[in-house]
Amino acid sequence: MTVTRDEVIPIQQRPPEQALDVACEVGESGDSPSSSALVRTDPTTDVSAAEEFLRAFHDAHPKAGSLAERLTEVRRSIAATGTYRHTGPELAYGARVALRDSGWCTSGVPWRRLKVRDLRGLRNGSAIASECFEHLRLATNAGRIQPLVTVFAPDSPGNPGPRIWNEQVVRYAGYAMSGGGVLGDARYSGFTAEVQRMGWKPPVQRGRFDHLPLVVETAHEGIKLVTLPRDVVQEVPLEHPEHPWFAELGLRWHTVPLISNMQLDIGGIRYPAAPFNTWFVGTEIGTRGLADENAYGITRHVAERLGMDTSTERTLWRDRAIVEINRAVLYSFDSARVTITDHHSEALHRLAWLRSGQRPSTSRPMFSVTREANRRARRGAPRDFQSPAPRQPRYDELSRLNRRCLGTDPSAE
């Protein structure tokens, strides 16, 4: 178990008229909140989904034992308790297949040997946060990014698993300025305001790259805000291979994309908190993070420093500036010897995967994100926690990358 070195931030209470906006808060007396808003309505695990997964697992692992005996055991468990428990090998196989099929499995990831951290016994918010930070430390691996999946407690009838609000474990705050505009990452200005309202205190000297706290919610404890330990976050200062002034912009980015708000579904069992990482595609930082007007919006400034004519779109100054921003990202990560890949390599990788015909079905293990989780990651405090059907992952990567570059991707909203 990781030693908890992080700071748990006391939750500030909403005024009475707003109390229903957050389903699980600590009451004024300090008592644990009611878990009724988090209790799932699913009466039992889908037996057919469990059976299909177990058959796939035994096909891939012929030495795993008797399939018939395992099916009988699982059926009895579901009949008696409404659910069943995966074995360690079943959990690892399901998580690996889900990551392979997720769209986040970057080229070069050895998914068959992916390490899966089985932490299903953890349900307390502080312990979950601490193990997320340990995941980040292990994955960083001195810049040689190590893909990992950490799996926490599943949903079960009447006993929901934990939720992590943050889109990624490392995200930068966005402070709304009184005169307009945002200091930091504008994508998370709503989330930043909400965690401030709940008790998070930003640095006295606010900056563009302040780490947001990790927000973990459990049925029995409610919401916990936990400060991200500075020593587990590796960041790369950004510079350009040809323009020394680029370093003067003071830009940097964290090295591990630890996705934390996607749920993992395996054989009818839902794990609402199963953080995973591979490594960054450069455009996720350069185009989506730094260039996008809805994030840091540095494109115009970079174009002007490059001497481009920004008075008309016909000069394609945005496209040219974004290319240079992405060059800076790749150059900086390569110089720091931190694993990263480029979007062209990833597009080819994804096309090859699609041609192989291995499209996932709704019954295969999968990572997915609900609309509710997306709202929670950007705005904070949804009104209830009843999860709608998860969105299916999309695989038209080339057109998607193009839409992202042009700022017309609706999923970025």
Side-chain angles (χ1 to χ4, degrees), residues 52-63:
E52 182 175 344
F53 167 72
L54 291 171
R55 290 190 176 95
F57 171 76
H58 280 262
D59 284 346
H61 302 82
K63 297 182 180 180

Side-chain angles (χ1 to χ4, degrees), residues 56-75:
F57 171 76
H58 280 262
D59 284 346
H61 302 82
K63 297 182 180 180
S66 170
L67 172 60
E69 290 179 5
R70 179 60 175 148
L71 288 173
T72 299
E73 178 186 8
V74 167
R75 290 175 188 134

Side-chain angles (χ1 to χ4, degrees), residues 24-42:
C24 283
E25 298 184 299
V26 177
E28 292 182 356
S29 65
D31 295 335
S32 297
S34 169
S35 63
S36 59
L38 271 174
V39 173
R40 305 189 63 84
T41 58
D42 307 325

Side-chain angles (χ1 to χ4, degrees), residues 18-303:
Q18 296 179 340
L20 293 178
D21 286 350
V22 177
C24 283
E25 298 184 299
V26 177
E28 292 182 356
S29 65
D31 295 335
S32 297
S34 169
S35 63
S36 59
L38 271 174
V39 173
R40 305 189 63 84
T41 58
D42 307 325
T44 60
T45 296
D46 185 346
V47 177
S48 62
E51 292 177 348
E52 182 175 344
F53 167 72
L54 291 171
R55 290 190 176 95
F57 171 76
H58 280 262
D59 284 346
H61 302 82
K63 297 182 180 180
S66 170
L67 172 60
E69 290 179 5
R70 179 60 175 148
L71 288 173
T72 299
E73 178 186 8
V74 167
R75 290 175 188 134
R76 286 175 178 170
S77 178
I78 294 175
T81 68
T83 188
Y84 70 103
R85 180 178 174 84
H86 290 126
T87 65
E90 288 168 357
L91 180 71
Y93 171 74
R96 288 164 180 160
V97 170
L99 181 59
R100 181 197 67 187
D101 294 351
S102 69
W104 278 93
C105 190
T106 48
S107 57
V109 171
W111 66 270
R112 288 183 177 85
R113 300 191 302 276
L114 178 75
K115 182 177 179 181
V116 178
R117 304 173 72 228
D118 183 356
L119 298 178
R120 288 175 286 175
L122 298 186
R123 286 186 175 270
N124 291 340
S126 295
I128 290 166
S130 184
E131 288 300 338
C132 285
F133 303 149
E134 177 66 4
H135 180 138
L136 188 60
R137 185 188 68 78
L138 293 170
T140 301
N141 194 29
R144 297 174 58 191
I145 307 302
Q146 174 67 53
L148 298 171
V149 179
T150 296
V151 183
F152 295 112
D155 284 338
S156 58
N159 191 19
R163 270 73 172 156
I164 299 173
W165 284 27
N166 308 60
E167 185 177 63
Q168 294 187 24
V169 170
V170 184
R171 293 279 79 172
Y172 296 120
Y175 306 106
M177 309 292 284
S178 57
V182 174
L183 174 66
D185 195 333
R187 294 174 295 181
Y188 305 104
S189 59
F191 189 92
T192 301
E194 181 62 19
V195 294
Q196 284 183 270
R197 189 207 61 74
M198 290 193 292
W200 176 63
K201 303 297 183 185
V204 176
Q205 185 68 38
R206 297 183 182 184
R208 292 183 295 167
F209 297 95
D210 296 341
H211 299 150
L212 286 165
L214 192 68
V215 183
V216 181
E217 184 168 13
T218 61
H220 63 290
E221 294 178 313
I223 299 167
K224 282 186 179 287
L225 275 64
V226 187
T227 300
L228 192 65
R230 187 66 190 86
D231 64 325
V232 301
V233 183
Q234 181 189 35
E235 294 176 310
V236 174
L238 302 184
E239 55 184 339
H240 194 278
E242 297 170 6
H243 304 292
W245 55 261
F246 198 96
E248 299 170 7
L249 300 179
L251 304 172
R252 63 176 184 265
W253 210 262
H254 59 99
T255 60
V256 180
L258 179 47
I259 313 300
S260 50
N261 73 334
M262 297 185 79
Q263 63 188 28
L264 172 61
D265 290 281
I266 303 174
I269 303 295
R270 177 172 299 161
Y271 299 93
F276 68 93
N277 76 280
T278 56
W279 44 73
F280 271 116
V281 179
T283 48
E284 279 295 314
I285 302 170
T287 302
R288 292 272 286 160
L290 298 173
D292 195 327
E293 294 299 325
N294 295 315
Y296 279 88
I298 69 167
T299 309
R300 181 178 293 274
H301 181 70
V302 169

Side-chain angles (χ1 to χ4, degrees), residues 225-380:
L225 275 64
V226 187
T227 300
L228 192 65
R230 187 66 190 86
D231 64 325
V232 301
V233 183
Q234 181 189 35
E235 294 176 310
V236 174
L238 302 184
E239 55 184 339
H240 194 278
E242 297 170 6
H243 304 292
W245 55 261
F246 198 96
E248 299 170 7
L249 300 179
L251 304 172
R252 63 176 184 265
W253 210 262
H254 59 99
T255 60
V256 180
L258 179 47
I259 313 300
S260 50
N261 73 334
M262 297 185 79
Q263 63 188 28
L264 172 61
D265 290 281
I266 303 174
I269 303 295
R270 177 172 299 161
Y271 299 93
F276 68 93
N277 76 280
T278 56
W279 44 73
F280 271 116
V281 179
T283 48
E284 279 295 314
I285 302 170
T287 302
R288 292 272 286 160
L290 298 173
D292 195 327
E293 294 299 325
N294 295 315
Y296 279 88
I298 69 167
T299 309
R300 181 178 293 274
H301 181 70
V302 169
E304 290 172 348
R305 290 297 300 266
L306 289 167
M308 297 177 184
D309 177 7
T310 61
S311 63
T312 173
E313 298 294 341
R314 300 291 287 183
T315 63
L316 300 182
W317 60 269
R318 295 181 193 274
D319 306 70
R320 294 157 61 198
I322 289 172
V323 167
E324 297 306 321
I325 294 168
N326 282 309
R327 285 186 66 201
V329 169
L330 294 175
Y331 173 78
S332 301
F333 271 61
D334 288 345
S335 297
R337 297 184 179 181
V338 173
T339 311
I340 195 170
T341 187
D342 64 89
H343 61 289
H344 292 294
S345 297
E346 290 312 304
L348 293 172
H349 167 67
R350 179 54 55 181
L351 286 172
W353 185 87
L354 288 172
R355 292 190 186 106
S356 71
Q358 299 183 43
R359 293 173 184 261
S361 66
T362 55
S363 59
R364 287 174 66 88
M366 65 184 297
F367 283 101
S368 60
V369 61
T370 64
R371 291 184 179 88
E372 172 189 81
N374 271 335
R375 290 196 303 269
R376 195 158 60 224
R378 296 298 177 94
R379 305 171 191 172

